[in-house]
Amino acid sequence: MVAAQAVYAQTTNRSCPDGPWYCVVELNPGLEVAPGFIDRTTPRATMESLVATARRKDWAAAAHLLDLSGVSTDAQAEAGPELAKQLEAVITRKAVIDWDTLIDRPDALEANTSSDEVMAGKPRKSLLLWTLDLDRNPVSIRLNRVAAPDQDPIWVFSSQTVGDVPALYARYSPGWIETQLPDALKKSVLAGFMWWELLVLPILICVVTLSGMLSATML
C-alpha cells in the first residue's frame, strides 16, 4: 500500500529555495487543508500535535503530520488517517521520547550540543526519534523538514518512516487483551512500559516462580 521510501531527488522542484530542508513538488495533495491547531513548525511541535490529535482521535488531522509521498494522491485521504493511527500506536508502545531534549526550534539546531559533535551549531533537516527492530533490521522513526514551493518548511514524519508503519504495526500492534483495557491503563509510565504491563508483571513473576517450584518438587 505504501512505498517503503520516497526518493526526494525525484520530487525536487527548482522553485523551492535552497535551505536546510528537503524540497518537494507538493506535500500530501490528496488531503484537505490542515486544521489550524496542527503545528509543524518544529520537531517538538509536530510531536505535540500528534499527541493532541491522538487524544481527539482526529486521525484525519494527524495525517497532515506524515509525508505521504509514497502513497498515491487518490489514496492519501483514506490511507493517511490509518497510517497516522498506526504510527501513534507504535510510538506509544515502543518508542521512548525524551521530551526534555526534543528540539523546539524550526532549524532543529541543538544549541547545547558540545562543540565536538558533528552537528554542533548546524541546522538539521532530519531528526532521529527512535529505532526499532523489524525483520532483523533496525528501522528509524524520523522527522524530516520539508518545503513545497511558496510554502514555509515544516516538520513531518519522513516518507521512509511512513513506509515502514504497516510492518511495524503488524509486529508491535496491541493484542486483544490490551484493546479491551481502559485508556488509563494504556498510558506509558516507565521505559516504554504501560500501567497494565507493570501491574501484570508481578503476577507473571509469581506464576513463573511457582511453576519452577512445582517442577523442582516433581523432579
Side-chain angles (χ1 to χ4, degrees):
M1 179 179 64
V2 182
Q5 180 177 9
V7 180
Y8 284 102
Q10 296 178 351
T11 59
T12 299
N13 189 296
R14 292 183 179 178
S15 63
C16 179
D18 293 333
W21 50 71
Y22 296 104
C23 291
V24 295
V25 174
E26 193 173 9
L27 182 65
N28 305 340
L31 301 182
E32 300 291 335
V33 176
F37 68 88
I38 291 290
D39 186 354
R40 300 170 291 181
T41 55
T42 72
R44 186 183 180 97
T46 296
M47 280 299 304
E48 290 175 344
S49 293
L50 181 64
V51 172
T53 53
R55 288 175 178 171
R56 299 177 181 215
K57 297 190 184 303
D58 189 350
W59 303 115
H64 289 279
L65 304 173
L66 313 181
D67 181 351
L68 298 172
S69 299
V71 183
S72 66
T73 301
D74 294 339
Q76 287 179 0
E78 180 179 356
E82 183 62 24
L83 287 168
K85 182 178 180 180
Q86 292 180 0
L87 176 60
E88 191 275 336
V90 170
I91 291 176
T92 299
R93 286 182 55 81
K94 304 305 298 184
V96 180
I97 305 298
D98 187 349
W99 288 89
D100 291 334
T101 60
L102 192 56
I103 301 173
D104 198 22
R105 293 175 53 121
D107 58 8
L109 187 148
E110 181 55 77
N112 296 323
T113 300
S114 169
S115 59
D116 294 332
E117 297 288 339
V118 175
M119 294 300 296
K122 296 181 181 179
R124 304 181 186 184
K125 60 181 179 180
S126 188
L127 195 66
L128 177 66
L129 296 180
W130 200 249
T131 302
L132 293 172
D133 290 329
L134 183 62
D135 298 330
R136 299 181 180 179
N137 295 315
V139 297
S140 301
I141 296 178
R142 183 177 291 275
L143 290 171
N144 279 354
R145 195 182 190 201
V146 303
D150 302 322
Q151 294 183 3
D152 294 329
I154 58 175
W155 286 91
V156 291
F157 287 94
S158 71
S159 59
Q160 181 174 354
T161 294
V162 174
D164 289 327
V165 164
L168 287 171
Y169 186 76
R171 178 165 182 174
Y172 297 112
S173 60
W176 181 84
I177 294 178
E178 185 176 336
T179 59
Q180 307 305 309
L181 296 174
D183 291 339
L185 291 179
K186 292 187 284 187
K187 293 182 179 180
S188 180
V189 289
L190 178 65
F193 286 96
M194 301 181 184
W195 272 117
W196 74 270
E197 293 175 315
L198 292 180
L199 293 174
V200 170
L201 186 59
I203 299 175
L204 292 177
I205 293 175
C206 290
V207 170
V208 171
T209 302
L210 291 174
S211 297
M213 294 173 61
L214 180 60
S215 298
T217 301
M218 294 177 63
L219 290 173

